[in-house]
């Protein structure tokens, strides 16, 4: 029997939003397997998804830049929200996005050597802004699009950024699609882009829930298929109801405007990064004992 620690219970509670006792019991039954315990709790509670999947912890900004048929989206991180709003920090992020378009670097490391409009490299600018602001600052990730169609971007404040590669339509439609993506956060363009493991998990959870509800064995696959199709409708761009008019799907909106979306990327600042929580009271208490 695996040892169930308070840290494991707290982590599962953060993932599911359920009570401590429920989490501990699930971990005991799963012999300490966090993923299995989470899935078991989802079956029992009806939670649609893990809270942890959308947790954002790091600070910073998303910058976008489009020049003709080439565009880029970049996430630049810092340590505090205060620095994330600094004009110098934001200018560095924008310079990095522009350098991505101009230099077409292979990865973040290669981006450092690309010269910016000022003549300095991205890495030189990064070191200069670190020296000025006193925080660790880095370009976490970027995407570069070069299209035969048109590119649309949307920034929701400084925390969410979207770029859409679209054929047909106009700038207004492109902006609307990008805004929709920021609001509804689809995982992929269509069902073919959804991770097979996610689909398998939804199917498995649906079957277990149906069993617990006493549904006949003969109905389980049909119930599971219905659940999977609803899941795919919720997480794929083309199937989602358009955020400005839910009587239309995004696919219907595009067809009505003789347009299509080839690809899109959305960045949320700090997505997937867990930020260290500092207990200042504990630090003060510890310092007082020294």
């Amino acid at each position: 029997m695996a040892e169930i620690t308070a840290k494991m219970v707290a982590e599962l509670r953060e993932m599911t939003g359920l009570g401590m006792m429920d989490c501990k019991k699930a971990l005991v039954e799963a012999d300490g397997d966090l993923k299995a315990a989470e899935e078991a709790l989802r079956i029992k509670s009806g939670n649609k998804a893990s809270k942890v999947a959308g947790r954002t912890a790091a600070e910073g900004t998303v910058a976008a830049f489009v020049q003709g048929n080439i565009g880029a989206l970049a996430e630049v991180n810092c340590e505090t929200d205060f620095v994330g709003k600094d004009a110098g920090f934001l200018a560095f992020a924008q310079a990095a996005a522009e350098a991505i378009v101009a230099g077409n670097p292979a990865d973040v490391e290669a981006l450092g050597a690309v010269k910016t409009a000022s003549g300095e490299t991205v890495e030189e600018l990064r070191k200069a802004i670190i020296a000025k602001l006193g925080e660790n600052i880095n370009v976490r990730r970027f995407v570069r699009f070069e299209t035969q169609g048109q590119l649309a971007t949307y920034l929701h404040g400084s925390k969410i950024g979207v770029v859409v590669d679209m054929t047909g339509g106009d700038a207004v439609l492109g902006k609307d699609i990008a805004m929709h993506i920021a609001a509804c956060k689809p995982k992929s363009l269509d069902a073919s882009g959804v991770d097979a493991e996610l689909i398998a998990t939804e199917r498995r959870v649906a079957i277990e829930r149906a069993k617990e509800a006493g549904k006949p064995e003969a109905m389980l696959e049909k119930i599971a298929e219905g659940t999977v199709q609803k899941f795919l409708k919720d997480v794929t761009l083309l199937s989602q109801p358009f955020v400005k008019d839910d009587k239309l799907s995004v696919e219907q909106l595009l067809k009505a405007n003789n347009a299509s979306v080839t690809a899109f990327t959305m960045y949320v600042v700090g997505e997937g990064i867990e930020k260290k929580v500092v207990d200042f009271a504990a630090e003060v208490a510890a310092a007082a004992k020294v």
Side-chain angles (χ1 to χ4, degrees), residues 17 30 40 96 189:
L189 182 63

Side-chain angles (χ1 to χ4, degrees), residues 145 162-165 181 186-189 237 261-266:
F145 281 88
V162 177
V163 61
V164 180
D165 183 354
I181 292 167
K187 294 182 182 295
S188 68
L189 182 63
L237 173 63
V261 170
T262 304
F264 71 87
T265 295
M266 178 182 71

Side-chain angles (χ1 to χ4, degrees), residues 22 33 63-64 77 120 151 164 208 225 227 232 250 266 274:
D22 287 336
D33 186 324
N77 293 139
E120 298 171 283
L151 296 173
V164 180
E208 292 304 318
E225 184 59 27
T227 299
L232 292 174
V250 171
M266 178 182 71
E274 188 168 355

Side-chain angles (χ1 to χ4, degrees), residues 1 8 13 38 50 57 69 74 81 107 120 132 141 174 185 188 230 283:
M1 174 68 70
M8 292 166 65
R13 186 183 185 192
E38 181 197 5
S50 308
N69 68 331
D81 185 55
D107 51 30
E120 298 171 283
K132 178 183 177 183
R141 53 183 174 170
K185 299 177 176 58
S188 68
K230 183 179 184 304
E283 284 193 357

Side-chain angles (χ1 to χ4, degrees), residues 105-132:
D107 51 30
V108 170
E109 185 177 355
L111 172 61
V114 177
K115 285 195 173 184
T116 64
S118 69
E120 298 171 283
T121 66
V122 171
E123 181 61 13
E124 287 169 342
L125 287 183
R126 188 181 78 89
K127 288 179 177 177
I129 199 68
I130 288 173
K132 178 183 177 183

Side-chain angles (χ1 to χ4, degrees), residues 7-105:
K7 183 180 179 181
M8 292 166 65
V9 175
E11 187 175 352
L12 185 57
R13 186 183 185 192
E14 179 66 23
M15 291 167 70
T16 62
L18 298 178
M20 297 289 278
M21 294 306 295
D22 287 336
C23 291
K24 183 176 180 180
K25 183 180 178 183
L27 281 165
V28 170
E29 292 174 351
D31 197 23
D33 186 324
L34 197 64
K35 189 172 181 180
E38 181 197 5
E39 187 170 311
L41 285 175
R42 284 190 58 203
I43 291 167
K44 292 179 180 178
S45 69
N47 282 347
K48 284 188 176 179
S50 308
K51 285 188 175 182
V52 71
R55 182 163 59 197
T56 56
E59 301 299 339
T61 191
V62 178
F65 181 67
V66 173
Q67 188 172 58
N69 68 331
I70 305 174
L73 199 66
E75 179 186 350
V76 182
N77 293 139
C78 58
E79 296 178 52
T80 64
D81 185 55
F82 178 76
V83 164
K85 296 174 182 176
D86 179 83
F89 171 79
L90 295 174
F92 166 69
Q94 191 60 38
E98 292 175 12
I100 292 161
V101 168
N104 192 19

